[in-house]
Amino acid sequence: MERLYLLMTGGAPILGALVGTLALTLLVGRLTQRRFQRLILFPLGFLAIPLAGSVYEWLLGGFFWKLGVLLWVIIGGCIFLGWLGGWALCRGKERAP
């Protein structure tokens, strides 16, 4: 029942994942600018959370397991889009003189 409530709460987890990853990527990108450029990949490690959540939902089964997996896939996609947006914004600043 809590999964159904989570699906009905709106976009709070989805928007939080998108904005949180975007902010973290921008922060890492600003702090490391030209040094330690590979640290910009650090926020992609958060993709392990939706992966584990979707595997858990799949193994748990139940009546709404497909919706639970879909929710975790959407959250994972938002994490990736947030990272991609932050990476693009940081990359654009490096090219400017």
Side-chain angles (χ1 to χ4, degrees), residues 33 50 56 60 65 87 90:
Q33 289 180 3
Y56 177 74
L60 192 63
W65 76 269
W87 178 77
C90 287

Side-chain angles (χ1 to χ4, degrees), residues 10-93:
I14 296 168
L15 186 61
L18 181 69
V19 172
T21 309
L22 177 66
L24 184 62
T25 305
L26 285 174
L27 180 68
V28 169
R30 298 286 180 194
L31 292 177
T32 61
Q33 289 180 3
R34 295 184 190 253
R35 302 166 303 186
F36 310 114
Q37 289 180 354
R38 296 193 186 221
L39 278 179
I40 198 88
L41 298 174
F42 169 70
L44 285 179
F46 289 116
L47 286 174
I49 297 169
L51 177 66
S54 62
V55 168
Y56 177 74
E57 291 288 335
W58 175 60
L59 291 175
L60 192 63
F63 190 69
F64 289 116
W65 76 269
K66 291 180 183 178
L67 288 176
V69 169
L70 179 64
L71 175 69
W72 284 111
V73 167
I74 290 171
I75 291 173
C78 286
I79 288 173
F80 182 73
L81 286 177
W83 175 82
L84 193 63
W87 178 77
L89 288 174
C90 287
R91 184 110 169 129
K93 296 295 180 186

